[in-house]
């Protein structure tokens, strides 16, 4: 993402059209409760597809489908250990975003 100095960026953050489209697509992905729940499930520790499916009471094939989309958007990464793949959030940016938004929601509830 590209940013300009505050004096040159009247709207705060300036993104190119392709960057804005990618950001919008990312928010669309996060707008699905199953995908968001998968991210939250992987927040503290890597999880296998089976663990995620059990925790969310979803089928493994459905969870795998959503994980493919999340991987394509670079929101999760998979690490193969023997015959299983364990999924975790791709980096601190994703984790930070989830924590900040959860805090934001909690603030609104208490106001």
């Amino acid at each position: 993402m590209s940013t300009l100095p505050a004096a040159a960026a009247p709207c705060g953050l300036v993104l190119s059209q392709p960057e804005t489209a990618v950001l919008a697509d990312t928010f669309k992905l996060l707008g699905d409760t199953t995908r968001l729940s998968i991210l939250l499930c992987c927040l503290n520790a890597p999880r296998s597809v089976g663990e995620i499916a059990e925790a969310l009471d979803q089928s493994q094939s459905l969870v795998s489908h959503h994980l493919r989309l999340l991987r394509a958007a670079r929101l999760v990464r998979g690490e193969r250990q023997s015959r299983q793949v364990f999924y975790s959030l791709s980096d601190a940016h994703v984790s930070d975003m989830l924590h900040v938004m959860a805090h934001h929601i909690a603030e609104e509830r208490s106001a």
Side-chain angles (χ1 to χ4, degrees), residues 20-32 75 97 101:
T20 302
V22 169
L23 186 58
D25 288 342
T26 301
F27 281 117
K28 286 178 193 173
L29 280 172
L30 296 174
D32 181 273
L75 295 171
M97 176 198 55
M101 291 308 295

Side-chain angles (χ1 to χ4, degrees), residues 54-73:
E54 185 176 329
L56 302 181
D57 195 28
Q58 300 286 339
S59 71
Q60 287 191 14
S61 62
L62 180 65
V63 169
S64 292
H65 167 73
H66 286 299
L67 283 166
R68 275 192 296 281
L69 297 173
L70 293 169
R71 280 183 71 178

Side-chain angles (χ1 to χ4, degrees), residues 6-86:
C11 295
L13 180 65
V14 177
L15 299 175
S16 68
Q17 186 61 36
E19 290 170 329
T20 302
V22 169
L23 186 58
D25 288 342
T26 301
F27 281 117
K28 286 178 193 173
L29 280 172
L30 296 174
D32 181 273
T33 56
T34 300
R35 286 191 286 269
L36 186 55
S37 295
I38 289 170
L39 291 178
L40 294 171
C41 188
C42 297
L43 190 59
N44 295 322
R47 308 273 185 210
S48 69
V49 173
E51 290 172 322
I52 297 167
E54 185 176 329
L56 302 181
D57 195 28
Q58 300 286 339
S59 71
Q60 287 191 14
S61 62
L62 180 65
V63 169
S64 292
H65 167 73
H66 286 299
L67 283 166
R68 275 192 296 281
L69 297 173
L70 293 169
R71 280 183 71 178
R74 297 181 11 234
L75 295 171
V76 297
R77 59 186 163 91
E79 183 179 318
R80 182 168 294 282
Q81 294 179 9
S82 183
R83 293 181 58 198
Q84 285 191 312
V85 177
F86 288 84

